[in-house]
DNA sequence: GACCGTCGTAACGGTAATGGTTACGGCAGG
DNA sequence: CCTGCCGTAACCATTACCGTTACGACGGTC
């Protein structure tokens, strides 16, 4: 599967904003987050834009502009982030319609659809168990590199 | 996520071979399966080649060649198929190393790795619960189209 | 009202995965 | 020898993702 890093980067950004705000700052800029994630500010703005549409963050424009959390880290789950940044289903059906004259070709799509729905439901349940608060805790629990 | 249909097509092929063998045939050809799945025989041969490497099917060459199951459908799970055809992890880390001088940049990868491992473990557990026998049952349970 | 920093977004290009297609050598039974 | 199918390489089109540049819009500050 061509895995992508959208969920990872989005979680990174949220954790960064959350920690920054706890240090007393009002807003975080896409450039600051991009520096931490070692990527381009536009990539961050694009992702945060999707998170804003999902109601997870807010943005301020003009002077002193930047991003802030719309909810506490403890009330945001990885499922919220996943739904905001990952549009499609986990597994896809055939690109073209299977032969409806074949028993297998006719029944395979309803069969797999049901199976995939159950699996995705389980995945969503797992993602919903993990809050961004927990992610930040795990981040801060990482051992320091030895000098 | 750019979902792919590899698992779907592989399950389709296995169900087709299994049903064909129950109808008394020895081997199935990639062309027969490709017709049912409405795709190209080479696509089927590529996928079945990966399933063969995983010990799920066998192929015969020469005259009267084709594919047969190496195991009963009831002993093959979607996890077996998933592992055979889906190499990478579900979610990826950053493409470039995050800033190790930043607290979040330093701790995010260990944190997400642990979380993703748990999630993938759950996914694998779910996939392991579903046998290809069950898939074929679901396929055959699909209602006929009304004339 | 001008200035400045940042957002918002369009546009383009590189990279990689997927899958459709053609081609061709190799194998084995008739 | 002939034939049918596997096995695999090669190529191309499509798509997603991400990095990058560019530029207009906005809203505080001076």
């Amino acid at each position: 599967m061509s895995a992508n890093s959208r969920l990872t980067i989005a979680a990174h950004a949220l954790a960064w904003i959350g920690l920054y705000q706890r240090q007393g700052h009002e807003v975080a800029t896409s450039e600051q987050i991009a520096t931490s994630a070692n990527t381009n500010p536009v990539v961050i703005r694009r992702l945060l834009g999707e998170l804003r549409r999902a109601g997870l963050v807010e943005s301020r424009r003009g002077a002193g502009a930047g991003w802030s959390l719309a909810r506490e880290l403890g009330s945001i789950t990885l499922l919220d982030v996943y739904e905001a940044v990952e549009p499609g289903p986990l597994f896809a059906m055939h690109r073209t319609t299977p032969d409806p004259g074949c028993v297998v070709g006719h029944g395979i799509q309803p069969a797999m659809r049901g199976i995939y729905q159950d699996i995705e439901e389980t995945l969503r349940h797992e993602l919903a168990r993990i809050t961004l608060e927990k992610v930040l805790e795990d981040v801060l629990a990482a051992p320091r590199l030895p000098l």
Side-chain angles (χ1 to χ4, degrees), chain A:
Chain A
M1 169 158 312
S2 69
N4 62 45
S5 62
R6 297 167 68 81
L7 184 60
T8 303
I9 304 292
H12 185 145
L14 287 172
W16 201 97
I17 299 173
L19 180 59
Y20 198 59
Q21 289 193 324
R22 286 182 193 186
Q23 292 171 348
H25 301 91
E26 285 277 332
V27 295
T29 71
S30 61
E31 184 162 359
Q32 292 171 317
I33 302 168
T35 298
S36 170
N38 194 12
T39 181
N40 192 289
V42 175
V43 175
I44 300 298
R45 290 206 290 269
R46 279 199 290 237
L47 275 173
L48 287 180
E50 298 179 44
L51 297 185
R52 176 166 39 108
R53 257 169 256 134
L56 306 184
V57 299
E58 293 169 346
S59 65
R60 198 183 299 175
R61 305 185 64 167
W67 303 83
S68 54
L69 296 179
R71 293 200 228 155
E72 297 290 324
L73 282 187
S75 79
I76 302 176
T77 72
L78 277 185
L79 177 59
D80 296 321
V81 185
Y82 178 82
E83 290 183 332
V85 302
E86 301 279 0
L90 207 50
F91 301 112
M93 285 298 142
H94 309 62
R95 289 190 169 186
T96 59
T97 308
D99 180 7
C102 165
V103 183
V104 177
H106 172 251
I108 188 71
Q109 292 207 341
M112 297 307 290
R113 232 185 297 278
I115 291 167
Y116 289 161
Q117 273 176 12
D118 290 352
I119 290 175
E120 295 208 14
E121 193 50 45
T122 303
L123 172 68
R124 300 164 72 82
H125 192 262
E126 282 297 297
L127 288 168
R129 291 181 50 214
I130 301 166
T131 66
L132 267 293
E133 177 73 36
K134 170 72 162 60
V135 172
L136 181 55
E137 280 171 23
D138 289 3
V139 165
L140 298 178
R144 297 222 169 197
L145 289 174
L147 300 183

